[in-house]
Amino acid sequence: MGQFKGNGSMGRRQTTKENAQPIRGVTIRTTAAGTELIQLAFTYKGKRYRKSLNVSPTPQNILAANRRLEQIRLEIQMGSFQLEKHFEPNDELATLKKTPLRELIKERMDRKLRLTGRSGWEQSTYSERLKMFNLHIEPTFGHLTVTELTATHVKNWLKKKTFSLTYGQLLMSIMNPVIEEALADGVIDKHPYKHVKLADYLGQKTTKERKERIDPLSEVEISLLLDKTKDSQERNYLQFMLFSGLRMQEGAVIRWEDVDFKQRTITVCRAVGHDNNKEYLKSTKTGEERIVDLIPPAWEALMNQRKHTRLSAGFVFLPTYSRRDRGYEWPARTYIRSMWTRALNRAGIRSVNRSPKQTRHTFCSLMIAAGKPLTWVAQQAGHSSLAMLEKHYAKAVRLASNKHHDYDFSSALEEARRREEEDQQHLA
């Protein structure tokens, strides 16, 4: 980035490069590409201007930007200000004002796909967002430019929609960055729909409805499930998932090389992604590896599985029948869902609205109720915050009281059966 000289100063303040601080109206903005640039903001003839200087925020550039803005304010006060004197016509901004939103949003989505790390999108995320864009954003707003888009457009669109508030927020997150970038670049003077509250138009599921998605198995149900699952590899998989806390897309692709036999831990470093109804390997949901402690039931399942797949030195769990239609080396999502539902039905356990994700919820609920530290449970399950655990597993947190001991499934199962017998006697 180059440096520039200011056009003047309102005073002769003693400032140096070392103590350079932006004055009010001089800001540092970050572009979509991650570059920091200095921007000036001022009001002229009742119109708010934001002009990028296209220079990096070095101390010398900040001092020069301060002097330039002071000079602009002085000229405005004296009535001699001429915009073109300070800023050359921006052909790029003129082009942006004429470019349809469909092109701007799609260009940003493609850019997110190219980026790596936390700033970018996985292929599966991109595909999901693209479907949402094609279904909702493009047909309604695609033909408009950023200067033509108004709050009325957004309000009229929301009035016709019946999806949830959460889904609406996700949809708007596809378009919002483009609008905010246009505002920062000076393409538009104000955000066209910032004052529009989605909650005024879209309903949200109640707390009860949200919590119904978490429906963990009890110790008694776990015992029934494992007892009725006669295929040893399927039983090993189910037992491992119920007592490890891994996400469904993580447990399917653990490899023997990930297992630390001395420490009895496993490194979770990959997951299954989905794109156009096909599966592929990718990084974990958080983009980071984590080490998971294997409690006795999970370790037992892993050791029982050794005789089936250890010699292959590949994936720990394999589908028990050929998946020629897919050709995956790991248990595919459809295979896992089918196996899970069959296992529940075979054991006489309620399966309605209980997806394989309940193995993870079961683990978290059991560990929290047993008094395991929330920080440990969060690390095991790969949760980003304790607040998420407390929100989704409030009942288990209450049951934990002051317990702090290692989890023992046999003892927990005995206690659960005793509670069931007491409940039955009470009802009788």
Side-chain angles (χ1 to χ4, degrees):
M1 294 287 181
Q3 296 182 342
F4 66 93
K5 296 181 180 180
N7 291 326
S9 172
M10 291 183 67
R12 298 300 177 192
R13 286 187 268 173
Q14 297 298 316
T15 56
T16 65
K17 295 179 183 178
E18 288 73 20
N19 64 10
Q21 293 293 329
I23 63 174
R24 184 177 181 182
V26 176
T27 57
I28 299 171
R29 76 175 186 88
T30 303
T31 67
T35 305
E36 290 188 334
L37 299 175
I38 298 178
Q39 179 178 263
L40 303 185
F42 56 91
T43 302
Y44 175 56
K45 292 184 177 181
K47 183 178 180 180
R48 187 69 171 169
Y49 287 87
R50 291 180 177 84
K51 293 292 185 179
S52 176
L53 300 181
N54 293 319
V55 294
S56 58
T58 64
Q60 183 172 343
N61 285 346
I62 290 174
L63 289 174
N66 290 346
R67 291 194 293 269
R68 175 177 284 200
L69 184 58
E70 288 177 337
Q71 179 66 27
I72 289 173
R73 287 171 175 167
L74 177 61
E75 292 179 8
I76 291 175
Q77 186 177 359
M78 296 177 63
S80 59
F81 176 70
Q82 296 179 6
L83 187 65
E84 59 275 11
K85 175 183 174 182
H86 291 273
F87 305 100
E88 296 180 0
N90 193 324
D91 294 334
E92 182 180 353
L93 291 186
T95 301
L96 288 175
K97 290 182 178 180
K98 299 178 182 178
T99 304
L101 276 170
R102 65 165 63 91
E103 295 181 21
L104 296 178
I105 296 174
K106 183 62 168 56
E107 188 278 329
R108 178 186 175 273
M109 293 173 66
D110 292 342
R111 189 168 67 237
K112 292 284 285 184
L113 179 61
R114 292 192 298 270
L115 293 175
T116 58
R118 291 184 176 273
S119 300
W121 282 350
E122 294 281 355
Q123 179 64 48
S124 55
T125 301
Y126 174 83
S127 297
E128 290 172 3
R129 299 294 190 275
L130 184 60
K131 288 179 182 177
M132 297 170 72
F133 168 75
N134 290 334
L135 184 61
H136 297 284
I137 304 296
E138 199 280 333
T140 306
F141 308 110
H143 64 288
L144 300 171
T145 65
V146 288
T147 57
E148 294 171 338
L149 180 65
T150 66
T152 301
H153 289 118
V154 176
K155 290 178 180 179
N156 290 339
W157 173 65
L158 291 172
K159 289 176 183 177
K160 302 174 184 177
K161 299 302 175 182
T162 58
F163 44 65
S164 70
L165 175 60
T166 302
Y167 188 77
Q169 291 169 336
L170 187 57
L171 282 173
M172 297 310 292
S173 72
I174 298 174
M175 185 164 66
N176 286 342
V178 171
I179 304 302
E180 291 164 359
E181 190 171 333
L183 181 63
D185 288 339
V187 179
I188 52 178
D189 300 322
K190 63 179 182 179
H191 198 298
Y193 57 85
K194 190 173 184 178
H195 62 286
V196 177
K197 296 180 180 179
L198 298 186
D200 291 341
Y201 298 87
L202 303 176
Q204 178 60 289
K205 293 181 178 179
T206 65
T207 302
K208 180 179 179 181
E209 289 172 333
R210 289 198 303 272
K211 288 183 177 179
E212 283 177 351
R213 293 182 298 177
I214 296 180
D215 190 7
L217 275 66
S218 67
E219 281 94 346
V220 174
E221 289 177 321
I222 293 173
S223 179
L224 282 171
L225 180 72
L226 298 180
D227 286 345
K228 295 296 183 180
T229 303
K230 300 306 179 183
D231 185 288
S232 58
Q233 292 199 63
E234 289 187 357
R235 183 171 60 253
N236 293 337
Y237 171 80
L238 293 173
Q239 183 172 324
F240 179 83
M241 294 300 290
L242 286 163
F243 292 104
S244 66
L246 271 62
R247 296 180 176 89
M248 185 174 75
Q249 62 266 35
E250 296 170 341
V253 288
I254 58 171
R255 300 178 66 90
W256 285 110
E257 65 200 53
D258 305 327
V259 181
D260 187 328
F261 289 91
K262 290 184 178 180
Q263 299 298 324
R264 291 195 174 189
T265 62
I266 190 166
T267 300
V268 181
C269 55
R270 72 185 69 81
V272 178
H274 301 93
D275 181 35
N276 293 326
N277 294 321
K278 294 184 178 181
E279 298 188 3
Y280 65 95
L281 294 181
K282 67 181 188 70
S283 59
T284 62
K285 184 177 181 180
T286 60
E288 299 176 350
E289 296 183 1
R290 73 180 188 278
I291 296 178
V292 171
D293 297 326
L294 297 179
I295 63 175
W299 183 255
E300 179 187 56
L302 204 60
M303 293 303 96
N304 290 337
Q305 183 64 13
R306 282 194 302 180
K307 64 182 180 182
H308 297 291
T309 59
R310 181 71 176 88
L311 292 178
S312 67
F315 293 107
V316 173
F317 299 107
L318 301 174
T320 55
Y321 61 87
S322 176
R323 295 290 294 170
R324 297 186 184 125
D325 57 327
R326 297 290 185 182
Y328 301 128
E329 300 177 58
W330 56 86
R333 178 173 56 176
T334 52
Y335 171 82
I336 293 173
R337 287 177 174 172
S338 175
M339 174 181 62
W340 170 255
T341 302
R342 283 187 287 107
L344 290 179
N345 292 336
R346 189 166 50 236
I349 300 171
R350 178 173 50 80
S351 61
V352 178
N353 295 327
R354 267 181 163 175
S355 75
K357 293 181 180 180
Q358 298 303 332
T359 59
R360 176 175 164 84
H361 297 322
T362 297
F363 171 82
C364 291
S365 297
L366 293 180
M367 295 302 104
I368 294 172
K372 285 286 191 179
L374 294 184
T375 50
W376 180 85
V377 178
Q379 165 63 23
Q380 291 285 111
H383 281 303
S384 57
S385 69
L386 297 183
M388 185 176 294
L389 285 178
E390 293 169 344
K391 175 183 177 182
H392 293 305
Y393 306 103
K395 180 179 179 181
V397 171
R398 289 196 301 271
L399 289 174
S401 59
N402 294 318
K403 298 178 185 176
H404 292 287
H405 55 72
D406 290 333
Y407 182 78
D408 180 76
F409 178 68
S410 297
S411 299
L413 176 59
E414 184 177 343
E415 182 181 345
R417 284 173 172 164
R418 179 182 55 78
R419 287 198 305 266
E420 279 198 353
E421 289 177 1
E422 290 177 353
D423 292 339
Q424 292 296 327
Q425 291 173 1
H426 178 73
L427 291 175

